Amino acid sequence: MEELVIDTKNLQKRYVTDTVETTALAGVDLKIAKGEFVAIMGPSGCGKSTLLNILGMLDSPSDGTFKFLGHDISRATERQRAKLRKENLGFVFQSFNLIDELTVEENIALPLAYLGVSKADTTKRVQEAMERMGIAHRRSHFPQQLSGGQQQRVAIARATVSNPALILADEPTGNLDSVHGREVMTLLSELNDAGTTVVMVTHSPSDAEYAHRIVNLFDGQIVTENVNVKRHAAELL
Amino acid sequence: MLKNYLLIFWRNMTRNKVYAAINITGLAIGIASCILIYLYVQHELSYDKYFTKHDRIYRVVNNLIVEDEVEKASVTHAALAPGLAADFPEIETALRMINRNKQVLRLDEKAITIEHAFWADSNYFEVFDYKLLEGDPKAVLQEPNTMALSKDVAAKFFDDPMKAMYSTFRIGSQSYKVTGIFEPVDAAHMKPNVLTSMSTLPAEVRQNFKSNWFGTNSYTYVLLSDSKAAAGLQAKLPDFVKKRISPARGNTTERVELHLQALTDIHLNTDYLWEAFPVGKKSYIYIFSFVGIFILLIASINYMNLATARSVKRAKEVGLRKVVGADRSQLILQFLSESILLTVFSVFVALLLVELMLPTFNSLSDKNIASNYFLEPIFAASILGIALLIGLISGSYPALVLSHFKPADVLKGSTTPNSGSAVLRKGLVVLQFTISLVLIIGTIIVYSQMHYLKSQDLGFTKEQVLVVDIPSGDTTIVNQMPVIKEQLLKNPKITEATTTVMIPGETTGVIIFDVERNGTMAEKTMNTIFVDYEFLDLMDINLKAGRNFSKEIATDQENGFILNEAAANVLGWADPIGKRIGFSDTTAGRVVGVVKDFNYTSLHSPIEPLVIMLAPQNNGYLMARVSPNGITEAMDHMQETWSKFAPSHPMDYFFLDESFNKQYRAEEKMLTIFGYFSLLTIIIACMGLFGLASFTAEQRTREIGIRKVLGSSVSGIVMLLTKDFALLVMVAIVLASPIAWYGMQQWLQDFAYRTPISAWVFVASGLVALCLAIVTVSFKAARAAMTDPVKALRTE
């Protein structure tokens, strides 16, 4: 059997406020294998982002089990999760989320700093990541000096600089025009081709086209799971 | 990683200059104030520790007890030091200092009045090991007609002070050869400028000193062989009194008690009369220390409040760092290192400020603190420790709040995270303003008490009275006083002239009188002043009964006594005129008049019984009342007259009201320092408020936009933003008022005459703080309110 990066059973998430209880996830069973590119789709409020946050260990489920690379996450401590996260995960956000006070180069280097990578190694890897994303000439710019597309490429460089097993992307093209959007999607699928597992939340059917599999979420539950024939076909060609 | 933190810190600071400025200025002012106060306290606590034998040096003081009244005197009998040294082997050596006050020092044609001259025994420099720049400590005051000068005095006569060595100065008719020049010590309870050898005194005087157990004139110090011997020696002193003093004093109801006072205790722990120099007050040390801590606290609160309020802006960074793998402890470390960096940076600014403020502070506090305090390792270590501590304390709360953010919440960007407890922040603002208000109210009350004291009707008119110090020991001048007075009155601008032994504001003499009580004579100790015929008239002191001294009635010189009302009351005399009063050896003394009570000492104490005696031939000061419109003319005339009759003495003069008000110098000093510090606290607190208001306005940009779109006016929005802060200040007023009231009530206990604490003080201080707060906040609020709503709504 192929290795599972993500394996959830009956994943639930409820938000309780003083008066109401909202169910964001109502029992999600999801298996994602190594090397897969999965798109999660669905209308606003269906629980996509909640699911992604739980998968990214930024949030914890109210119920159900979640295994990440075989580790049972529901029982992990905050510190253990932080460790798994920095060693295995890369995040790409809709709003880029670069640190304004750091330059392109410093933003990309940040995950390596928390991994304790040596200075020489960091320089080399950041350089590679910047070159891969075509932003090396912007290395000492601050985020606000870059276009949206460039910022997202910096974000992807940052997400991939530590060679994570899994990249989680939350509407990565949401704030971009179509040209830059396509650019970003191409980058993501190239990364996937190179072996990185990608899970992406998106509203855009055209972005979803890049995935192997499309999971449709509705009211906190998976309603359909489609294999993207086009992508498979393209790969087979 | 540390480099990364530094980078972020630096860029945050440079990009948020207002925020950085508020924090750094506030903290720097706070730390600088603290350093100044620390130096002040340190200086106060270091008194007399300069002397290497300080732990073995004790001063002997005495209580004179008559009936139930105790007079605690720092001066003792001249016979005490040799007596103690002879009787107790644990005393290595004992010495006396006798105050010569002000003296005119002459070298050839140069004459300069020098304060704080003392007679001293020859072992002086062996006990008090000043740094002798010239001379041998064992030999300095050995020979008759020798003297030691402080370097500063020597410098008044010679460009190179060392040249003063071996030159011969004159004081009055005596000559003195300089046998030592010493470096003066600032933090010492005795700061002599000139020391003349005791052996210079005439043989009969010295002989009298050996056996006179009545008059007290000497400060007595003993050097013990072992600092632990003090308690044992103290226990033996009553026996010494019984054996040596009481028999010599004969039959008197007055008892003498001797006490040892550790040298280092004298400056702060003394309540003895006749100190040669002003002493410190322990309570002021506590007050200042508290003020220092408070200022620092207010500045630290600014940091806490601004950092947490600003946390919204850094939420994204926190979320991101967590996403890429930072755990909470790493984030806490990051934010703590930021606050520590900020404080360390502020410390450097503070040290700069201290350097700038030190001269002003020295003159305010009457100190002479040099700026070499940096070099002391203890200072450097404690300043570093304090920086760390402030950094940790003020950084811990923001660090906890910031590191707590959930990345899932903050990275979406749509919701603003909870930037820490707003309640706590409000509480801290209230605390800041409470402290500031307590200090402001305190300052106002101290000020109004000072004003009250100065404007109080003293029972005499202290204004327009010129006082000239009559050089003691020069009998030719003293004998000419009646002529001088006559001469002075020739100028119409001088309306009255008199001589007196003491002027109001000085400590009076204390004498045991024999008074008539229920038909027999009884002993009664009362304060006494010796004056001239014109004294009461010149001072505008009113008679209540009887008459003033009269030149026509010869018996007044010996047997006339004037009492104040308090004395008449204490003696229980309904009709005091003609009552018998005097000394044990005379019987003819009678009360000739009673004057209305007047405040002859400071208003710290109530008016005590006073006996006024006539002694026209015995005087210390020449007083002249001058008309308000002719001060210059009167002074010229006085100077002229003085030069004619006392050509060899420079005229040393002052105004009575000035010298009288000197008694409140300690309070005045405190008022000024207190005033400055309370000003600083309110400024720092307002700076913090300004910062907070900025962030609130920023945070509520959307809300302001929506309100404007819906039709709110600019003033409505300013009101909306200001209201909350104004409320906090009002809470602070409510909290501060009772605290300040209680504290100041305690402080006022030091005075017999107290200004009533009126409600307007609290109202006025509150209004000032409120206005400052409103101006500060509304400035920011108005800017927020005037932004284009479209722009405001676009900010996401």
Side-chain angles (χ1 to χ4, degrees), chain B residues 330-348:
Chain B
Q330 282 171 307
L331 287 164
I332 291 177
L333 193 73
Q334 178 187 349
F335 291 116
L336 278 183
S337 57
E338 281 188 13
S339 64
I340 290 169
L341 265 171
L342 189 91
T343 28
V344 169
F345 190 72
S346 307
V347 163
F348 284 106

Side-chain angles (χ1 to χ4, degrees), chain A residues 91 97 100-101 106 113-114, chain B residues 7 11 15 320-321 323:
Chain A
F91 286 86
N97 283 331
D100 295 335
E101 285 76 20
E106 288 155 0
Y114 282 108
Chain B
L7 212 59
R11 288 186 187 150
R15 280 177 197 199
L320 240 143
R321 284 183 183 271
V323 163

